[in-house]
Amino acid sequence: MYNLIKMELYRLCHATSTWVILAVAVAGVAALMALTGALVSFAGETEDGTEVLAAEVEENVSNEDASGEDASGENLSGEDLSWDDASENNSSGNGVTAEIYMNAEDDWNSEEADLAETLASVLQGGLFSILCVILAATYAYADQKNGYLKNIAGQYPSREKLVLAKCAATAVAVLVFLAACVATVTIGAKIIWGSSLHIGSFGELMKLIGIYYLLLVAFSLVTLMVTILARSSTAGVIVGILVNANMLSVIYTMINLLVEKVLPNANFDSSLYTIEYCLGSYGAGASSGDTAKAVAVALIYGALAAAVAAWVMKKRDVV
């Protein structure tokens, strides 16, 4: 088993797609941090997080003087001007000033930022999990695409170990990807907030990283299982994107209705016990109950995905 894992890691490290996806992941996280920096800079230039943009539409400049009044002395500066008034003034040929207010988040203009919250917001966005899905699907399908699986599976007595070794290599790859993401977010946050960056409890930060690692590994293993079942990387990627985009809500609703018919007072919501929900909701400072639920979801989904994929590999005719 140890030699199988070493072999899978060697193949994974020497695959061009692995490094391409890693580069895209780092670039994507860096772009998100750059956007965060731009929003922080934008909010810092406004007063109380509000920017007023004025757009003036002039239809008859000759009727207005330099003070913003028309020939009758009526003020048309745009203050307390309703849409009805604006429409009426437009029909009479007078200039109208319309003001658009853009409200920024209060946190953007804060002097301090928490590293754990920043990291959680990046991981909750879904970009990183989608890239992990693409990595798992591409890696799982490479065996069939290159004919490697057909050559070795028929000679190996315990074919399920091939899948288990692939699962272990996938977990290592996710660890490397997550470490690169954490490093990129930390560097970006340090550049944006400098000495005002608040790291907080190291234990809480490591707990957040650990929970997301388990969830991402489970998500990758589910994608790997779908790819092996369908013998197609496209199927794995599509299912992963659908799950990540919360497009399986119809299925969860049907499950909830079935449970409600059996147990009318259960008040059960199956969507709360899914990988995508935990990935999108778990954050810094989560309660012990949320942490336990996230760990349980990750372990159950990951173990079931690995077991199903191993069983299919053992029973399937690969010739």
Side-chain angles (χ1 to χ4, degrees):
M1 186 67 182
Y2 176 71
N3 291 331
L4 284 177
I5 295 177
K6 287 177 57 178
M7 180 184 66
E8 293 293 342
L9 288 175
Y10 179 86
R11 295 179 59 249
L12 187 60
C13 292
H14 286 77
T16 305
S17 59
T18 302
W19 300 106
V20 172
I21 297 173
L22 178 59
V24 172
V26 173
V29 174
L32 291 176
M33 295 306 299
L35 177 61
T36 302
L39 293 174
V40 170
S41 177
F42 172 79
E45 294 176 356
T46 63
E47 181 179 358
D48 296 331
T50 304
E51 178 72 12
V52 180
L53 302 178
E56 183 173 356
V57 181
E58 296 184 357
E59 295 183 358
N60 191 356
V61 181
S62 60
N63 292 335
E64 298 179 0
D65 57 19
S67 63
E69 298 180 353
D70 61 359
S72 63
E74 184 177 359
N75 186 5
L76 298 175
S77 63
E79 297 180 357
D80 299 328
L81 184 63
S82 64
W83 288 109
D84 295 336
D85 296 336
S87 175
E88 181 181 353
N89 287 331
N90 273 332
S91 62
S92 62
N94 296 325
V96 177
T97 300
E99 293 182 344
I100 304 174
Y101 294 88
M102 299 178 61
N103 294 325
E105 297 291 340
D106 294 337
D107 294 342
W108 294 350
N109 201 22
S110 61
E111 297 179 355
E112 295 184 357
D114 187 77
L115 178 60
E117 293 180 356
T118 304
L119 178 61
S121 64
V122 172
L123 294 175
Q124 289 172 356
L127 172 64
F128 193 77
S129 57
I130 289 179
L131 293 174
C132 289
V133 163
I134 296 175
L135 172 67
T138 305
Y139 171 52
Y141 182 66
D143 290 348
Q144 301 181 24
K145 180 181 179 181
N146 300 328
Y148 165 79
L149 183 62
K150 184 183 297 185
N151 294 331
I152 193 175
Q155 304 175 6
Y156 201 79
S158 302
R159 292 189 297 179
E160 66 275 7
K161 292 184 179 180
L162 296 174
V163 174
L164 297 179
K166 193 178 295 293
C167 292
T170 301
V172 174
V174 172
L175 179 62
V176 174
F177 273 47
L178 185 58
C181 174
V182 173
T184 305
V185 171
T186 303
I187 295 174
K190 190 66 176 178
I191 293 174
I192 295 173
W193 288 285
S195 59
S196 298
L197 179 65
H198 180 66
I199 298 179
S201 173
F202 181 77
E204 290 294 326
L205 179 62
M206 293 306 299
K207 183 182 75 172
L208 176 70
I209 296 174
I211 295 299
Y212 269 102
Y213 171 69
L214 293 177
L215 292 171
L216 290 171
V217 169
F219 199 10
S220 301
L221 294 184
V222 171
T223 304
L224 186 143
M225 178 198 68
V226 174
T227 303
I228 292 177
L229 289 175
R231 296 184 178 183
S232 171
S233 60
T234 304
V237 172
I238 290 177
V239 171
I241 292 177
L242 291 177
V243 171
N244 192 76
N246 295 321
M247 298 186 68
L248 301 182
S249 58
V250 177
I251 298 178
Y252 303 144
T253 302
M254 295 176 61
I255 295 175
N256 296 338
L257 292 176
L258 291 176
V259 173
E260 186 178 356
K261 289 184 178 180
V262 177
L263 301 173
N265 298 325
N267 193 21
F268 177 77
D269 188 357
S270 59
S271 64
L272 301 179
Y273 304 95
T274 59
I275 295 178
E276 61 268 31
Y277 175 80
C278 294
L279 282 172
S281 63
Y282 191 84
S287 64
S288 57
D290 292 336
T291 301
K293 182 176 71 173
V295 172
V297 167
L299 293 179
I300 292 174
Y301 276 78
L304 288 177
V308 171
W311 182 82
V312 170
M313 182 60 64
K314 181 179 179 179
K315 298 297 183 179
R316 171 180 287 174
D317 184 6
V318 297
V319 179

Coordinates of all heavy atoms in Angstrom, one line a residue, residues 11-23 135 138-139 173 177:
R11 N 3.1 10.2 -9.8 CA 2.3 10.5 -11.0 C 1.6 11.8 -10.9 O 1.5 12.6 -11.9 CB 1.3 9.4 -11.3 CG 1.9 8.0 -11.6 CD 0.8 7.0 -11.8 NE -0.1 7.3 -12.9 CZ -1.3 7.6 -12.8 NH1 -1.9 7.6 -11.5 NH2 -2.1 8.0 -13.8
L12 N 1.1 12.1 -9.7 CA 0.4 13.4 -9.5 C 1.4 14.5 -9.6 O 1.0 15.6 -10.2 CB -0.3 13.3 -8.1 CG -1.2 14.5 -7.8 CD1 -2.3 14.6 -8.8 CD2 -1.8 14.4 -6.4
C13 N 2.6 14.4 -9.0 CA 3.5 15.5 -9.0 C 4.1 15.7 -10.4 O 4.5 16.9 -10.8 CB 4.7 15.2 -8.1 SG 4.2 15.2 -6.3
H14 N 4.1 14.7 -11.3 CA 4.7 14.9 -12.6 C 3.6 15.1 -13.7 O 4.0 15.2 -14.9 CB 5.5 13.6 -13.0 CG 6.8 13.5 -12.3 ND1 6.9 13.1 -11.0 CD2 8.1 13.8 -12.7 CE1 8.2 13.1 -10.6 NE2 8.9 13.5 -11.7
A15 N 2.4 15.3 -13.2 CA 1.3 15.7 -14.2 C 1.3 17.2 -14.4 O 1.3 18.0 -13.4 CB 0.0 15.2 -13.7
T16 N 1.3 17.6 -15.7 CA 1.3 19.0 -16.0 C 0.0 19.7 -15.5 O 0.0 20.8 -15.0 CB 1.4 19.2 -17.5 OG1 2.6 18.6 -18.0 CG2 1.5 20.7 -17.8
S17 N -1.1 19.0 -15.5 CA -2.4 19.5 -15.1 C -2.4 19.9 -13.6 O -3.0 20.9 -13.2 CB -3.5 18.6 -15.3 OG -3.3 17.3 -14.7
T18 N -1.6 19.2 -12.8 CA -1.5 19.5 -11.4 C -1.0 20.9 -11.1 O -1.5 21.7 -10.4 CB -0.7 18.5 -10.6 OG1 -1.3 17.2 -10.8 CG2 -0.7 18.8 -9.1
W19 N 0.1 21.2 -11.8 CA 0.8 22.5 -11.6 C 0.0 23.6 -12.3 O 0.0 24.7 -11.8 CB 2.2 22.4 -12.2 CG 3.0 21.4 -11.5 CD1 3.4 20.1 -11.9 CD2 3.5 21.4 -10.1 NE1 4.1 19.4 -11.0 CE2 4.2 20.2 -9.9 CE3 3.5 22.4 -9.1 CZ2 4.8 19.9 -8.7 CZ3 4.1 22.1 -7.9 CH2 4.7 20.9 -7.7
V20 N -0.7 23.3 -13.4 CA -1.5 24.3 -14.0 C -2.7 24.7 -13.1 O -2.9 25.9 -12.9 CB -2.0 23.8 -15.4 CG1 -3.1 24.8 -15.9 CG2 -0.9 23.6 -16.3
I21 N -3.3 23.7 -12.5 CA -4.5 24.0 -11.6 C -4.0 24.7 -10.4 O -4.6 25.6 -9.8 CB -5.2 22.7 -11.3 CG1 -5.8 22.1 -12.5 CG2 -6.3 23.0 -10.3 CD1 -6.4 20.7 -12.3
L22 N -2.8 24.3 -9.9 CA -2.2 25.0 -8.7 C -1.9 26.5 -9.0 O -2.2 27.3 -8.2 CB -1.0 24.3 -8.2 CG -0.2 24.9 -7.0 CD1 -1.1 25.0 -5.8 CD2 1.0 24.1 -6.7
A23 N -1.4 26.7 -10.2 CA -1.1 28.1 -10.6 C -2.4 28.9 -10.7 O -2.4 30.1 -10.3 CB -0.3 28.1 -11.9
L135 N -9.2 19.2 -10.2 CA -8.0 18.4 -10.0 C -8.3 16.9 -9.8 O -7.7 16.1 -10.4 CB -7.2 19.0 -8.8 CG -6.0 18.1 -8.3 CD1 -4.9 18.1 -9.3 CD2 -5.5 18.6 -6.9
T138 N -9.7 15.3 -13.1 CA -8.6 15.1 -14.1 C -7.6 14.0 -13.6 O -7.2 13.2 -14.5 CB -7.8 16.4 -14.2 OG1 -8.7 17.5 -14.6 CG2 -6.8 16.3 -15.3
Y139 N -7.3 14.0 -12.4 CA -6.4 13.0 -11.9 C -7.0 11.6 -11.9 O -6.3 10.6 -12.3 CB -6.0 13.3 -10.4 CG -5.2 12.3 -9.7 CD1 -4.0 11.8 -10.2 CD2 -5.6 11.9 -8.4 CE1 -3.3 10.8 -9.5 CE2 -4.9 10.9 -7.7 CZ -3.8 10.4 -8.3 OH -3.0 9.4 -7.6
A173 N -2.6 16.2 -2.2 CA -2.6 17.3 -3.1 C -3.5 18.4 -2.6 O -3.2 19.6 -2.7 CB -3.2 16.8 -4.5
F177 N -2.5 22.3 -1.9 CA -3.3 23.4 -2.5 C -3.8 24.3 -1.4 O -3.7 25.6 -1.5 CB -4.5 22.9 -3.3 CG -4.2 22.5 -4.7 CD1 -3.0 21.8 -5.0 CD2 -5.0 22.9 -5.7 CE1 -2.7 21.5 -6.3 CE2 -4.7 22.6 -7.0 CZ -3.6 21.9 -7.4

